[in-house]
Amino acid sequence: MELENCQSVDDFMSGLVKRNPGEPEFHQAVREFAESVVPFVLEHPQYQEAQILERMTEPDRIVIFRVTWEDDQNRIRANRAWRVQFNNSIGPYKGGMRFHTNVTQSVLKFLGFEQTFKNSLTGLPMGGAKGGSNFNPKGKSNNEVMRFCQSLMTELHRHIGEDTDVPAGDIGVGAREISYLFGQYKRLENRFVGTLTGKGLAFGGSLVRTEATGYGCVYFCEDMFNHVGESIRGKTVGISGSGNVAIYAAEKSVELGAKVLTLSDSSGFIHDPDGIDAEKIAFVKDLKEVRRGRINEYAEKFKSASFHEGKRPWSVPVDVAMPCATQNEVSGDEARTLLANGVKAVCEGANMPTELEGVHAFVKAGILYAPAKAANAGGVAVSGLEQSQNALRLSWSREEVDERLKTIMREIHAQCVTYGSKAKSEIVNYVDGANIAGFVKVAEAMLAYGAV
Ligand code: GLU
């Protein structure tokens, strides 16, 4: 379908679905984006004439390859891996790698697509990409993970580079995996450069990178509250997940005077009405990062808490909800339950955690709703700062990086206000704001390049 004749989101989507069959996550991410951007494009003929939306929803390229490795029983194993290089109009490709059994091309395309606009919002020169594998790191030994990472990098290294494409972590890819990947990259290339971010502090990593996604999410939440003359202080917060994003979102919420009531993993959630304080967060950090255990151990250790097997935390009444686990973890019904229980703000730490029905419910209710592109951009923003430090061959202090992170989140918030509200008095639609602001910069670059 020609975008020239495109009358509506549905017209545009029917073409996209036809071109990308069997990719529901990708369809969902594009639809959410198109609902904001198609009306904007229809008002700006220069974008329409250049077929910008059609071009933007087509990745620059996708590299697919087999990763063969040997397990601890000397059996040969094979997984599939991808790197989706979505768009490098405004900078070298940038985005994480995800290792999880549910990784498919559709998941990585949705992530790479969203990454393009998230990275644009940060104001840093970063294009959008995402990669990963259906490898399951759960239950694997360190040596197995190392052999897998080394085998993956043996292929991936030829497609990436500090000025080409800079991968980082995501679900299932943390400090351990980045270290193995970077060690192998350096060995193959015989060059010490910042081609990966999220590196250890001893070898070019940045202070605050580990904390950045969670901290940034809370900074953004505080920016939204401040905009309406309120604060997160004294509010109750429901968080899902117990990985990197969730842990540091909890830590910063507590630091700013909020009370965190829940955390979760794929086995269920814990509810602690006394609040998950700094000491309890330290326990979760050790449980998840060092011992790689399950969240029910929290309720065994802290008697104030209850464990709810196989459930998600959205039935617990809270002022602020921060989904920090994975995509589609808040259904339409769960969004309505949160609203019925009086939620004032929803701030997305995970990528696309809310189903489209839930997105519509939050926007319609007029609460403070920050979509992932804006709210979780702090992680990749500090990755961008890690690239800067690597290029300068310098490392900045914790205070300096944290201050820059706060400023970047504040500027993203300001862009959302500019593009997400027509009148000063109007409630800000952060979904429209983030989508349109992210779109404009990438679109301007693509227009300037002509037919590429
Ligand atoms: N995986 C993170 C994200 O979704 C961070 C990517 C990066 O640091 O490059 O934004």
Side-chain angles (χ1 to χ4, degrees), residues 353-428:
T354 310
E355 288 180 359
L356 203 54
E357 216 186 299
V359 172
H360 293 157
F362 290 146
V363 171
K364 189 160 169 238
I367 59 158
L368 304 175
Y369 169 51
K373 279 184 205 88
N376 79 19
V380 74
V382 174
S383 274
L385 301 179
E386 183 173 330
Q387 290 179 264
S388 306
Q389 293 168 77
N390 291 165
L392 290 167
R393 298 177 193 277
L394 283 174
S395 14
W396 297 331
S397 67
R398 169 169 285 274
E399 291 68 32
E400 165 131 32
V401 180
D402 195 32
E403 211 36 64
R404 283 178 188 266
L405 169 62
K406 272 188 205 149
T407 306
I408 290 170
M409 298 314 294
R410 212 173 300 128
E411 283 169 3
I412 296 175
H413 181 268
Q415 290 183 70
C416 290
V417 172
T418 303
Y419 286 98
S421 51
K422 290 196 180 74
K424 248 200 154 154
S425 54
E426 206 178 77
I427 295 168
V428 181

Side-chain angles (χ1 to χ4, degrees), residues 91-386:
Y93 300 110
K94 180 84 197 84
M97 296 288 289
R98 177 177 290 192
F99 294 170
H100 194 279
T101 44
N102 74 8
V103 165
T104 60
Q105 186 161 302
S106 168
V107 168
L108 297 176
K109 277 173 74 176
F110 114 64
L111 288 163
F113 178 73
E114 294 219 329
Q115 196 81 44
T116 303
F117 307 103
K118 182 197 313 196
N119 294 2
S120 162
L121 283 172
T122 66
L124 301 172
M126 300 185 290
K130 203 83 185 193
S133 172
N134 56 6
F135 173 75
N136 181 8
K138 276 193 197 131
K140 302 285 190 304
S141 70
N142 286 340
N143 275 333
E144 288 176 324
V145 172
M146 179 183 74
R147 287 193 291 273
F148 176 80
C149 288
Q150 291 181 338
S151 178
L152 182 142
M153 186 52 81
T154 302
E155 172 60 33
L156 186 65
H157 84 105
R158 69 188 88 243
H159 307 290
I160 61 176
E162 71 277 25
D163 293 324
T164 312
D165 182 358
V166 181
D170 196 81
I171 293 170
V173 179
R176 174 182 63 171
E177 291 75 16
I178 292 293
S179 304
Y180 292 145
L181 290 166
F182 184 68
Q184 180 74 349
Y185 179 81
K186 188 174 65 57
R187 181 156 71 151
L188 291 163
E189 295 263 327
N190 192 24
R191 292 186 317 128
F192 194 111
V193 286
T195 298
L196 284 109
T197 61
K199 300 184 291 297
L201 293 177
F203 46 95
S206 174
L207 286 160
V208 195
R209 175 62 191 89
T210 314
E211 300 89 334
T213 314
Y215 280 14
C217 187
V218 178
Y219 292 152
F220 195 91
C221 193
E222 186 65 346
D223 289 336
M224 290 200 297
F225 274 126
N226 290 345
H227 190 70
V228 295
E230 285 190 56
S231 158
I232 196 173
R233 181 166 296 280
K235 304 255 184 330
T236 52
V237 182
I239 298 180
S240 63
S242 48
N244 200 41
V245 182
I247 286 174
Y248 292 101
E251 188 172 282
K252 189 52 78 178
S253 298
V254 171
E255 213 182 293
L256 296 187
K259 189 176 186 184
V260 178
L261 299 183
T262 65
L263 286 172
S264 71
D265 67 13
S266 56
S267 69
F269 79 91
I270 55 105
H271 177 201
D272 188 343
D274 285 0
I276 304 169
D277 60 16
E279 187 202 327
K280 292 168 176 173
I281 293 169
F283 170 83
V284 178
K285 250 187 236 180
D286 179 67
L287 172 71
K288 285 289 166 180
E289 284 169 12
V290 183
R291 295 193 283 124
R292 296 182 191 269
R294 309 305 290 164
I295 199 74
N296 64 311
E297 281 188 46
Y298 181 102
E300 284 160 23
K301 166 106 177 147
F302 302 109
K303 294 296 166 216
S304 52
S306 50
F307 174 61
H308 305 262
E309 196 178 342
K311 298 229 158 64
R312 303 195 284 219
W314 312 126
S315 57
V316 176
V318 283
D319 299 317
V320 180
M322 293 190 190
C324 296
T326 193
Q327 67 266 13
N328 292 329
E329 55 162 320
V330 183
S331 68
D333 282 343
E334 286 165 320
R336 283 185 284 273
T337 302
L338 280 165
L339 288 168
N341 286 336
V343 77
K344 295 183 169 71
V346 176
C347 218
E348 296 183 342
N351 289 311
M352 202 171 74
T354 310
E355 288 180 359
L356 203 54
E357 216 186 299
V359 172
H360 293 157
F362 290 146
V363 171
K364 189 160 169 238
I367 59 158
L368 304 175
Y369 169 51
K373 279 184 205 88
N376 79 19
V380 74
V382 174
S383 274
L385 301 179
E386 183 173 330

